[in-house]
Amino acid sequence: MQIIKSLLNLFIFILPGFAMAQSTYLNQGSKDYHFVERIEIKQQTNTHLNFSTLKPFNRKAIVREVEFLDSARLGYADSIAGIDKYKELTSLWLTPIDEYNMQSLLMNNSEWVTVPKENFNSKKALLRSFYKTKTNFLEVNTKDFFLVVNPVLQIHQAIESGYDQAIFLNSRGITARGMIAKKIGFSTFITDNQERGPQFFQQQVSKFNAVAGVGFYKPFKTNGVDYFDARGSINFNVTKYIDVQFGHDKNFIGNGYRSLFLSDWGNSYLFAKLNTKIWKLNYQNLFMELTPQFKKAGDMLLPRKYAAIHHLSMNVTKWLNIGVFEGVVFGRKDHFDFQYLNPIIFYRHIEGSVGSPDNAMAGLDFKANIAHRAQVYGQFLLDEFVLSKIRNRPTSWVNKFGLQAGIKYIDAFGVKNLDVQVETNRVRPFTYSRDSITNYTHYNQPLAHPLGANFQEFIGIIRYQPFPKWYVYAQAIYFNQGLDSANKNFGGNIFKDYRTRSGDDGFEVAGGRKATGLNGLLQVSYEWKENLFFDVSMLYRNYKIQNVAGQSNTTMVTAGIRINMFKRNYDF
């Protein structure tokens, strides 16, 4: 990764004079993500939002689209061809709650708003200096400098049936973002956390030596964990069409609740990202420094491995977007393999050129917006594939691939702001796995799906916003997964070397010792002030393993408060 750091330092010192206006990105879990998805589906023919497969979202880009929608609705964009029809449609698309969410999005990304902003101001500032606006604790907006600083807080207490210890999460921190002369953007998110999750969460921490979603941790009290979550990045443009981001954070590639390519479920990592958007194309290069599987014993320098990812997407029509993915994870002793810096060449070719020691994957994704009401999406991940084996030996271990299919239905059944999503994910045994270094993992956690491999999963989600400040969220996840038994590797644990398999054939999805899980969540949230939520939720989880006596049942009721932070989920 040293070469990437050197190149970025060179860019930072040489290119600012040529840089264009640069934006930061939405924080993980922002409420604006779902609203952007809604307006993308409702507009259908908009070409810019069709690149939303890549997350996090660029603040400048989403404000530009929302302002256009707002201007058309109010009749300020008459010079645009066909705008009369567009205004008529938007009057039907936008519910009063959509308009509320639109104004909230603009307030939370005010640095890029060009319309009047008087209604963004608070009626009365705190101590004359703080909360001058409704969304930001401290905001500085001068000619060449913009800065926003906000507190981060999440305090949740829970009761788990049959468990005599309190379940809790205490998170405190700060988030900030800004721009220098609209050429250099920067952002940071820092929290200090103490957490005692439900018992199945504690078991996972013990099993994988990792806390889901974060990195280094220490024991806290009885069965609790203490961890520090620090993220941040700098952003600038090389040209009008190429954005550069360098930092320590997470990325997501996909349109579903899960991703088979790259998910934000695991720990943050050091990365350099180049995103090129021109014509109907969007091309992203992502270079990552990762940590292979380890067992920490005191202070020690952890080893490193690396990954490089390409994703090219194209708006084939105004309602259909198709993407091509390729990625490779490789281990070199404390250095990046320069061959993978090539931004265009296929990684599979490079893998062969260097002796094929690495773990290369490819994939396709798509999404289609239909009738201003629905979006159909999917992914196909190819880890390894032999056509003759598919035809003649479909249960061969070498047939390593995954499939995702889903649909989003907004204003479902004629009910305004009732949105339904259904998704299924299916990953064959041994997908993502190779050896202990080049498996598709980071910091003892999967880079893609949290279940790893050898599973079939079904997800149902209902989002309902009956009133502007009320949010109802219901989610059900059901899965079958094949586990190892009698020291036999059935391909579900992606940390295991696939050469330890017991044979070459007979590997069905969810084959081996079958585990089934059901995870259901019902959550109601009230937004008292901008980004200040009161949450009440109930989680039910049932998990059982074939031929193992008993089952794991969890019923947990949670209540709490959070500000400027995503809700902690136990969705596995």
Side-chain angles (χ1 to χ4, degrees):
M1 207 66 181
Q2 291 86 349
I3 183 66
I4 301 176
K5 296 175 185 177
S6 300
L7 287 173
L8 282 165
N9 286 333
L10 182 64
F11 282 147
I12 291 170
F13 283 105
I14 294 178
L15 294 175
F18 304 96
M20 312 299 289
Q22 177 57 49
S23 174
T24 55
Y25 296 82
L26 285 184
N27 289 341
Q28 181 184 5
S30 168
K31 64 180 181 179
D32 294 333
Y33 280 102
H34 181 59
F35 176 67
V36 170
E37 289 180 349
R38 274 182 60 87
I39 63 173
E40 175 188 6
I41 295 171
K42 287 191 172 191
Q43 292 185 83
Q44 183 177 322
T45 58
N46 185 276
T47 58
H48 295 289
L49 289 180
N50 279 342
F51 294 126
S52 62
T53 298
L54 303 174
K55 301 174 181 68
F57 291 162
N58 181 290
R59 293 178 185 269
K60 179 183 177 182
I62 63 173
V63 166
R64 180 177 56 187
E65 300 309 321
V66 169
E67 282 196 333
F68 170 75
L69 184 63
D70 195 30
S71 297
R73 176 181 62 88
L74 296 175
Y76 296 144
D78 292 325
S79 62
I80 300 175
I83 197 64
D84 288 336
K85 182 179 179 181
Y86 191 79
K87 287 187 288 185
E88 180 183 353
L89 289 173
T90 53
S91 66
L92 298 174
W93 293 339
L94 292 176
T95 68
I97 293 174
D98 285 333
E99 295 187 11
Y100 171 85
N101 292 333
M102 179 186 298
Q103 291 304 307
S104 176
L105 183 149
L106 294 175
M107 283 194 295
N108 279 283
N109 302 277
S110 60
E111 62 266 41
W112 296 108
V113 173
T114 60
V115 299
K117 297 185 280 188
E118 290 81 3
N119 63 335
F120 294 3
N121 297 326
S122 301
K123 293 181 180 179
K124 186 177 181 180
L126 178 64
L127 300 178
R128 298 184 179 182
S129 299
F130 305 109
Y131 283 114
K132 291 182 178 181
T133 63
K134 297 176 182 178
T135 57
N136 299 319
F137 174 75
L138 175 65
E139 181 174 326
V140 178
N141 195 350
T142 63
K143 179 182 177 182
D144 289 322
F145 184 61
F146 176 82
L147 175 68
V148 161
V149 179
N150 278 304
V152 173
L153 178 70
Q154 183 168 194
I155 300 177
H156 279 173
Q157 297 288 324
I159 299 174
E160 180 180 353
S161 62
Y163 189 56
D164 59 2
Q165 296 189 33
I167 306 298
F168 59 83
L169 172 63
N170 299 325
S171 300
R172 305 157 307 281
I174 190 171
T175 182
R177 72 178 190 274
M179 290 182 295
I180 301 173
K182 287 197 173 182
K183 293 183 178 181
I184 301 293
F186 59 90
S187 63
T188 187
F189 178 92
I190 302 172
T191 58
D192 179 51
N193 311 266
Q194 291 78 44
E195 179 178 17
R196 180 189 291 139
Q199 293 180 82
F200 70 87
F201 168 85
Q202 299 172 21
Q203 292 165 2
Q204 189 191 58
V205 172
S206 299
K207 180 179 179 180
F208 293 101
N209 294 308
V211 176
V214 296
F216 174 72
Y217 72 95
K218 298 182 293 185
F220 180 75
K221 294 186 176 180
T222 304
N223 299 325
V225 291
D226 186 326
Y227 55 89
F228 194 67
D229 188 9
R231 315 180 194 184
S233 66
I234 59 171
N235 322 274
F236 54 92
N237 294 92
V238 177
T239 70
K240 179 180 179 181
Y241 304 105
I242 302 176
D243 300 332
V244 177
Q245 183 183 11
F246 176 61
H248 187 269
D249 209 328
K250 307 180 185 186
N251 293 273
F252 188 99
I253 302 176
N255 301 291
Y257 182 77
R258 306 289 200 194
S259 173
L260 303 185
F261 295 168
L262 180 64
S263 172
D264 57 9
W265 189 84
N267 186 27
S268 302
Y269 41 79
L270 182 71
F271 70 92
K273 180 167 66 178
L274 284 75
N275 196 86
T276 304
K277 183 183 293 185
I278 189 169
W279 188 53
K280 299 180 180 182
L281 300 174
N282 192 89
Y283 186 49
Q284 186 174 101
N285 301 94
L286 183 62
F287 306 101
M288 307 152 66
E289 183 175 76
L290 308 173
T291 302
Q293 188 177 11
F294 67 92
K295 289 186 177 180
K296 192 171 177 61
D299 292 334
M300 58 180 288
L301 181 63
L302 297 178
R304 296 288 184 269
K305 64 179 182 179
Y306 303 91
I309 288 174
H310 294 162
H311 185 270
L312 172 66
S313 62
M314 178 178 180
N315 288 329
V316 180
T317 69
K318 292 183 178 181
W319 53 269
L320 174 65
N321 180 276
I322 295 178
V324 179
F325 163 87
E326 63 168 346
V328 61
V329 178
F330 54 97
R332 304 290 186 268
K333 189 171 182 179
D334 299 324
H335 74 83
F336 190 91
D337 193 322
F338 296 165
Q339 297 228 32
Y340 288 116
L341 281 177
N342 191 312
I344 297 177
I345 194 169
F346 288 109
Y347 286 145
R348 182 69 77 175
H349 172 74
I350 296 178
E351 183 199 22
S353 299
V354 299
S356 195
D358 305 322
N359 189 9
M361 285 168 283
L364 298 171
D365 63 82
F366 79 95
K367 65 176 173 182
N369 297 323
I370 303 170
H372 308 288
R373 296 294 297 275
Q375 182 184 94
V376 179
Y377 63 90
Q379 291 182 330
F380 171 60
L381 175 79
L382 181 60
D383 188 351
E384 202 160 341
F385 188 94
V386 178
L387 185 59
S388 62
K389 298 285 178 66
I390 286 289
R391 290 175 175 174
N392 304 318
R393 296 165 57 190
T395 62
S396 171
W397 76 275
V398 80
N399 298 321
K400 299 157 59 180
F401 58 86
L403 294 167
Q404 178 188 85
I407 183 170
K408 300 172 185 175
Y409 177 29
I410 65 172
D411 295 331
F413 314 110
V415 180
K416 300 297 184 182
N417 296 96
L418 173 66
D419 301 338
V420 177
Q421 181 177 357
V422 178
E423 178 177 307
T424 183
N425 296 286
R426 180 181 178 89
V427 179
R428 277 195 50 80
F430 302 105
T431 305
Y432 302 117
S433 64
R434 192 174 177 93
D435 54 41
S436 61
I437 300 296
T438 60
N439 52 38
Y440 203 60
T441 66
H442 166 54
Y443 215 94
N444 294 347
Q445 299 170 65
L447 274 171
H449 199 288
L451 290 177
N454 196 17
F455 68 85
Q456 176 80 57
E457 178 188 50
F458 302 93
I459 301 174
I461 298 173
I462 297 175
R463 297 178 176 92
Y464 183 42
Q465 194 175 354
F467 306 102
K469 293 179 176 291
W470 288 91
Y471 302 82
V472 180
Y473 181 87
Q475 174 183 280
I477 300 174
Y478 177 79
F479 64 86
N480 292 317
Q481 184 174 29
L483 305 180
D484 297 342
S485 64
N487 295 320
K488 291 185 177 181
N489 182 0
F490 283 93
N493 186 348
I494 65 176
F495 292 95
K496 285 190 174 181
D497 192 322
Y498 62 47
R499 291 170 293 190
T500 62
R501 64 186 183 277
S502 57
D504 292 338
D505 278 303
F507 294 104
E508 302 273 2
V509 172
R513 188 173 50 157
K514 182 174 290 187
T516 60
L518 173 64
N519 188 309
L521 173 69
L522 176 62
Q523 177 180 306
V524 178
S525 300
Y526 176 71
E527 189 176 18
W528 183 49
K529 299 288 186 181
E530 274 291 327
N531 303 312
L532 174 58
F533 293 89
F534 294 96
D535 300 315
V536 177
S537 65
M538 184 176 73
L539 179 144
Y540 173 77
R541 184 179 186 267
N542 177 272
Y543 182 79
K544 54 186 177 182
I545 301 175
Q546 183 181 15
N547 297 327
V548 174
Q551 56 186 350
S552 171
N553 280 315
T554 299
T555 301
M556 185 173 71
V557 177
T558 305
I561 184 174
R562 59 188 168 93
I563 181 170
N564 298 312
M565 188 174 181
F566 54 88
K567 175 73 164 58
R568 178 61 148 150
N569 291 323
Y570 303 103
D571 56 350
F572 51 89

